[in-house]
Amino acid sequence: MSTTLSIEHLTIDLPPGADRPHAVDDVSFAIDKGEILCVVGESGSGKSMTANALMGLLPPGVKVRAGRALFESRDILKLPEAEKQALRGARIAMIFQEPMTALNPLMRIGDQIAEVFAAHDRFTTAERRKKALALITEVGLPDPEKIIRAYPFQLSGGQRQRAMIAMALALEPKLLIADEPTTALDVTTQAQILKLILDLRDRRGMAVMFITHDFGVVAEIADQVIVMREGRVVERGTAARVLEQPEHPYTQRLLEAIPTGKLPQARAVPQEPALEIKALRKTYRTGGGLFKPVREVRAVDDVSLTVARGEVLGLVGESGSGKSTLGRTAVRLVDPDGGQVLVGGTDLAALSEQDLRAQRHKVQMVFQDPYASLNPRQKIMGALTDGPIAKGVPRAQAQSRARELLEIVGLGADAAERYPHEFSGGQRQRIGIARALAMDPELIIADEAVSALDVSIQAQVLDLLRDLRERLSLSILFITHDLRVAAQLCDRIAVMQKGRLVEIGTVHQIFLTPQQDYTRQLLAAVPGADWADSWQQQAAGA
Amino acid sequence: MSVFIVIVSRLAKAALTLLAIAILNFLLLHAAPGDPALVLAGEAGAADEQMIAQLRERFGLDQPFYVQLGKYVGSILQFDLGYSFRQGAPVSQLIMDRLPATLLLTLTAFVISLVFGIALGVGAAARVGRASDSLLTTLALLFYATPLYWLALMAVLVFSVWLGWLPGFGYETVGANLTGLARALDIGRHLVLPALTLGLFFMAVYMRMTRASMLEVSQLDFVKTARAKGLSDAVIRRRHILRNAILPVVTLAGLQAGQLVGGAVLTETVFAWPGIGRLMFESLAARDYNTILGVFLVSAAMVILFNIVTDIVYRIVDPRIGARA
Amino acid sequence: MWKRFSSNMGAMVGVVLLLAVIVVALTAPLLFPNGPWQMVQRPFLAPMAVDGLPLGTDTLGRNVAAQLAYGARVSLLVGLVSTLVALLIGVPLGALAGFYGSWVDEGAMRFTEFFQTIPNFALAIVLVAIFEPSLASITIAIAIVSWPPVARLVRAEVMSVRKREFVDAARLAGLTRPRILLTQVLPNTVSPIIVMASLMVATAILLESSLSFLGLGDPNAMSWGYMIGAARTVIRTSWWLSFFPGIAIVITVLALNLIGEGLNDAFNPHLSRRRARAGKEKA
Amino acid sequence: MTYLKATTFLIAAALAAPVAAQQAGGRLDIVVQPEPPGLMLGLVQNGPTQLVAGDIYESLLRYDTDLVPQPSLAESWTISDDGLVYTFTLREGVTWHDGTPFTAADVVFSADVFLRETHARLRSSLAYVDSITAPDDLTVVFTLKEPFGPFINAFETGTMPIVPKHIYDGTDYANNPANATPIGTGPFKFEAWEKGSYIHLVKNEDYYIDGLPYLDEVFYRVIPDAAARAVAFETGEVDVLPGGSVENWDVPRLTQMDNVCSTGNGWEFFAPHAWMWLNNREGPTADAKFRQAVMYAMDREFVKDVVWNGYGKVATGPISSKTNFYSDDVTIYDHNPDKAKELLAEMGYDGTPVRLLPLPYGETWQRWAEAVRQNLSEVGINVEIESTDVAGWNEKTSQWDYDMAFTYLYQYGDPALGVSRNYTADRIQKGSPWNNVEGYDNPALDAKWAAAATMVTPEERAAAYLDIQKEIIDDVPVAWLLELEFPTIYRCDIKDLVTTGIGVNDGPRNAWIEK
């Protein structure tokens, strides 16, 4: 096999004042024709910078310092801008993480695809349209005639990513760079896109540089793997070798941190309910003005479930399944249309605003976005004591409890006097947990509480939650889109789809003997499921 | 939602707004000391009780306040702006006489400011950080900080008095009896200074805004996509960045285009431009209620009209709006 | 914050210029104890023509330098107070509309739109003419025409902050809605309000000078717009009478704009940086 | 001073053939400020209307700069010895602009019917009139109830414009559609009015005096901004700046230009007299000592020199030196701050602030108010200027809501027409800014004013008015300021523009342009 791209000793400078001098430090690798190379790393590892350098799309202030990148026997790093431009889109194409923002919102899909031809001066207008239609068909978008005239906002996330891929493939590039193309997608969509990329690779024989942080994805797709950390390659090899016999400790740590399909031992859970949800309903209506038709979305459709005291119930579903709405309705951040939310015998759903305020402390929440869940203008102490003081706890007592909790979540008491911006994402999630605990709740709802974190950080926070569950015998409703994460922490799992509860059961029931098609689909879509199982079994056996 | 329905619902809302404006201004004006009878009598140099009483009766000022208000609202509802007793003509006629001049001035200024503002903003954004960008932004900031009327005075001083290139005031050469193209040219020459001074400030506004918006949009992901496609910078700027960046400028411009009509008072005063801004200012001192109210209504209607037009333009430029609603 | 601001050269130029204007305004009574109205010399003296009158004299032989110094007081006072009043109207209205939504929002926004529909300079003229020109009526008129953008800005900011998760957290903590609005939401809208306020002071100074220029100034307060208005009839024979106050306005307004921009940049560090971080968070 | 002589004038010779040098043709651009509210002089008599409509309408007489009556629509006239019967012989062959012949019936209709209803100022003179008759088409007889010396001054165009009976008789005058296209007998015909821009008059080819007018057309240009008006004159766009149309500061500069002439003449009939109303009813201004102190405190010479550029004359009292029966044999108030302080001390002035209402007619008046405030504050009087517009000023003065208020009024040639109205107790009436606004109430003087008006011979009247002036000037009911002079600025090649006591108002009739 011939080498499509060969990178040698690539070093990229960061602008002065950054936290390290080089974004990428002496990196070398090669991709063969028809091969998929996965570049794996956590945020800040320099994996995207490498890709951007190849495309000549480095942000201002960031410069290639040394090294070469041989492509079609030329060093593409040193090409004049005009030639780089001719290369982009034609010989090397790239797709990005955010399909929502990566398309021009004001241009029709067809035009955006045809534009690639125009940029490289190929074909007549009519031909361009025909080619665009063919591409749309090839990437598996439904109803091409309609899609070609559609605007991006009329497409779903997966469809947009397909459209992006269509654009990238337009001129049959030799190299496709995919920068976390599935990270923002639901698992089932992700599985489809991964399959599409594999198919296209097979059909066209192009080389793919696939950037990801997810070893599950690596297992699904990679031929070769390099692992990057702080700008350096720490490990390289075939996918099978790296996944099964990681050599570098960092790789090992990363692999260990991955929530796997390994099912924890089932615990005995008392049957006393901490939270009972009965026939809960919530419908969102949009429009309904003078001339607008009313659109209804049943976000939560007649759902009943119970979280027992000391139990962790996982609530799993894809985006739009209503899982978050259910969580928010349970704490009355959203008012339900019907049903009951019973906590310690009180129906939260039926309380007046004022009565509710007195009962609020019983259910607390840990939020998804560590950057949005803390008031940037309030010290941590305030965030942790506002609630208790409002509840009637004396200030001094609330403050000493706050320090105590900060110790418990592993931050140290002096964190109380600092502002949120002084903490990292993982630390903020710990603060969020401490804040929930400060209210002495009967139940905590964790809404995608680890989804925004890097794998290794995610593992730490999960450890903390597991630890707290044991120490404080917490009841937790754990909302996540990630079945693997749910399997790690939960006693039981509830699966939601389109507002309805599809299936509920113990982790073992759900993973091993799923009763519903949808659950099975979800399980099948988990990237690297097969590999993870085998590796875990192997590890367990070893 | 179709554009037609948008227009209908907006017009219905606009009618209510206009009525409210009429009533509010009516109340405001009648709260002011003095009335048109006194002013008119005052200018005659002498008057007696009988004359003032006569005038008040003619103007309908002898009636109870609520009757006056009721009558006014009644006539407004019949699209009748009333009669200016001071000028001895229907208000609608007075306004129609003056409106073309104001529209000519403001629209010219508007087009100049929008076209040049956007062009310069795009240029500055393309050269961000370089000397030409600094020069343009500094100039824009200066124009932004310069009082319009002062600039107008200086312009008259330099271009009309010292250099004698352009007429310093007026709408056309009076009594020249020009027709056709010659007249248009003549009006055009008179238009240059007022339109430029009025336009400069807004040009600065649009330039700064376009520049900022261009820079912001150029950071967005889809611009990177466009780069990755191998498009040239010029095409990216024109087709991707500008089209998106122009949306907030269009919104602002739409809001201001309407305000321009009422805000041209200063320019019209300094340049003796026979427009409705001046009509309002002159009518104010004379307490010519109907005329002031008429000007207010017409300019408010302009504001609303421009807002609706902006809305429609927005809908055409941005496909998301209509669908989302 | 301050570091970013102070490293912005434009902003620092603005601060220096504004400080200079403020110092002149504050020391005016010390520098010119006889006030701006005293007729001290022959009229129409050119700048530097006579010792002690560096900027010459006006149509009545009054000291232009003294007028400029006292004018700074009026400009700054009117600019500041009218902005404060506009904020007092706009911030609560926008905050309530943005926070409570539904009919409160509907009502507040209709009200705001209504004011935005009336041509605002014309409205200011009518208001001042009707309440008769005085510092109070000018200030109020300027405030009345300038609050709607504040209300809109605050509403938009509050609506965006209100969706952030820490507001949900505060609700779960059992805080009352007014308290959440005051302690959690509003503090996070302060930066854009400050930026807008600094630009509004500039606009208010321009508005005041335009009103004075049209003869709608307070006749007992010396202001720059008044000076230009009074001097425009003699602009060709005595250019300095309208030139200096014009420059004074340009400098002050420019300074405020520079500061406003500097604050804006400091509060919103470069978009690319923010985006990069946002990208990281998702990764 | 010139006293009126009640004699017969025969004027055939006065209108001898024009001098050979006079050239016909040309166009005059005259500034009019502000834009007149209407041109129907019978309905509207404000300044701008008089300026423009003075070329369209005419009255029976004109007055030269010494206020001596001259023939106009009346060819000749007689006044009976008892001063009661005024007989006018009208000119033959005069037609209205629409071709209808002009007759005595038009005069009777105008004076007795139309103007009685519409013209407040004339109405007070008509109060003395017993009957107006037209024995034949060319004769009009006014019969008075009692002698009224100034009656001969009532036949000026703005005071008694003759309007066409055939158009207005029996109609609603105010709403007659013909008001938009005024029809008169004057030397110029109304052609067009571009609102906000200009009024266009064209030569009346059928004017009853052969050769007149010389000019082909006159444009009255509306330019709202004083500075723009000055520029317009500089750039040659307008030829004539009537008095008051540019700010005083511009006058010296404009008059120093090449080929620019100016004249202070043409205001004699009006004799604009400026003073400050001092509210005699309440506050410090109710005290005569305070009012005298104000007179001494003001530096009126400074104002004349600086604010008015030397135009005008410091007023000595209520009667202008241009008006009949003026005398300077009275107490003279010079600029004497010490004396003012003395008077204030005597009176025991406690520093109560007084409000000062400037006249809202532009920069000059604003500066004047500022100068007065400075003068007064230098002798220890606290003054606050109140700012207001024309409507507010009218309201405040006519409702007596002021302490001191600037004004100026016309005198129309005779104290009985334009002076006594401001000082007699019977003219203390709320609602008008032209009567005894200050509230001065002196019954002894009231009787003297009344007597002086109805005396028959000028000599008697002169003596009576001297007596009045001496007395009233010591009382200072109002603070007299200046006899205003509004210079008319024009190109020197325009000849015979200002030949009468009303100046440019009827100037284009005789004006011609030297080529």
Side-chain angles (χ1 to χ4, degrees), chain C residues 34 37-39 43-44 58-62 129 132-133 213 215 217-220 226 229-230 232-234 236-237, chain D residues 225-227 230-231 234 247 249-250 253 302 306-307 363 366-367 370-371 373-374 384-389 396:
Chain C
N34 289 327
W37 303 100
Q38 197 192 26
M39 295 164 275
F44 300 113
D58 79 344
T59 48
L60 287 184
R62 298 175 295 206
E132 311 219 314
F213 175 78
D218 183 332
N220 297 299
Y226 158 88
R232 81 173 143 157
T233 49
V234 294
R236 268 143 299 157
T237 45
Chain D
D225 181 72
V231 177
E234 278 176 278
E247 297 290 353
W249 333 102
D250 267 345
R253 188 171 54 80
F302 171 85
V306 171
V307 179
E363 297 301 323
Q366 196 64 35
R367 287 306 87 68
E370 287 162 18
R373 174 180 58 188
Q374 190 63 24
E384 273 170 27
I385 296 184
E386 278 192 338
S387 180
T388 184
D389 56 11
K396 281 170 188 278

Side-chain angles (χ1 to χ4, degrees), chain C residues 207-229:
Chain C
L207 257 177
E208 186 276 335
S209 81
S210 302
L211 288 170
S212 293
F213 175 78
L214 285 176
L216 295 169
D218 183 332
N220 297 299
M222 181 60 76
S223 90
W224 293 333
Y226 158 88
M227 291 172 71
I228 300 176

Side-chain angles (χ1 to χ4, degrees), chain D residues 280-281 291 422-425 428 436-442 445-446 449 471-472 475-477:
Chain D
N280 284 215
R281 301 173 187 86
R291 304 198 297 264
N422 302 120
Y423 304 100
T424 56
I428 300 181
N436 186 345
V437 171
E438 77 275 19
Y440 178 63
D441 188 356
N442 185 337
L445 267 179
D446 286 355
W449 285 110
E471 189 172 340
I472 201 167
D475 257 358
V476 198

Side-chain angles (χ1 to χ4, degrees), chain D residues 492-504:
Chain D
C492 291
D493 47 17
I494 303 167
K495 307 293 182 190
D496 295 337
L497 180 64
V498 174
T499 53
T500 68
I502 61 172
V504 189

Side-chain angles (χ1 to χ4, degrees), chain D residues 169-226:
Chain D
D169 198 12
T171 67
D172 173 6
Y173 306 146
N175 296 316
N176 192 316
N179 293 342
T181 51
I183 299 289
T185 58
F188 290 90
K189 297 202 281 193
F190 175 82
E191 173 75 16
W193 185 354
E194 195 68 38
K195 286 259 159 73
S197 198
Y198 61 86
I199 298 164
H200 185 192
L201 306 184
V202 295
K203 177 177 184 171
N204 176 4
E205 299 287 355
D206 301 324
Y207 195 58
Y208 50 85
I209 298 171
D210 284 343
L212 288 184
Y214 301 109
L215 300 166
D216 291 333
E217 52 186 348
V218 180
F219 283 86
Y220 286 93
R221 304 284 301 276
V222 181
I223 304 168
D225 181 72

Side-chain angles (χ1 to χ4, degrees), chain B residues 167-191:
Chain B
F169 60 91
Y171 178 68
E172 57 185 321
T173 308
V174 168
N177 287 323
L178 299 170
T179 49
L181 185 64
R183 178 154 186 255
L185 280 176
D186 181 54
I187 293 177
R189 274 168 46 80
H190 283 80
L191 184 60

Side-chain angles (χ1 to χ4, degrees), chain A residues 52 55 57 85 88-89 96 98 101-107 112 115-116 119-120 151 153 164 167 291, chain B residues 1 5 9 221-222 224-225 227-233 235 239-240 243-244 247 317-320 323 325:
Chain A
N52 287 334
M55 292 297 282
L57 297 177
Q85 195 181 306
R88 287 201 288 264
F96 302 95
E98 281 291 337
T101 55
L103 290 167
N104 185 339
L106 303 186
M107 266 174 101
Q112 299 201 39
E115 199 184 34
V116 183
H120 298 278
Y151 287 98
F153 74 93
M164 278 293 297
M167 252 175 256
F291 301 101
Chain B
M1 201 162 45
I5 291 174
S9 70
D221 290 350
F222 65 81
K224 205 169 161 191
T225 307
R227 282 236 168 74
K229 284 181 189 174
L231 294 175
S232 69
D233 280 358
V235 172
R239 209 180 298 163
H240 291 276
R243 271 192 71 185
N244 282 280
L247 288 177
V317 182
D318 189 343
R320 287 167 295 184

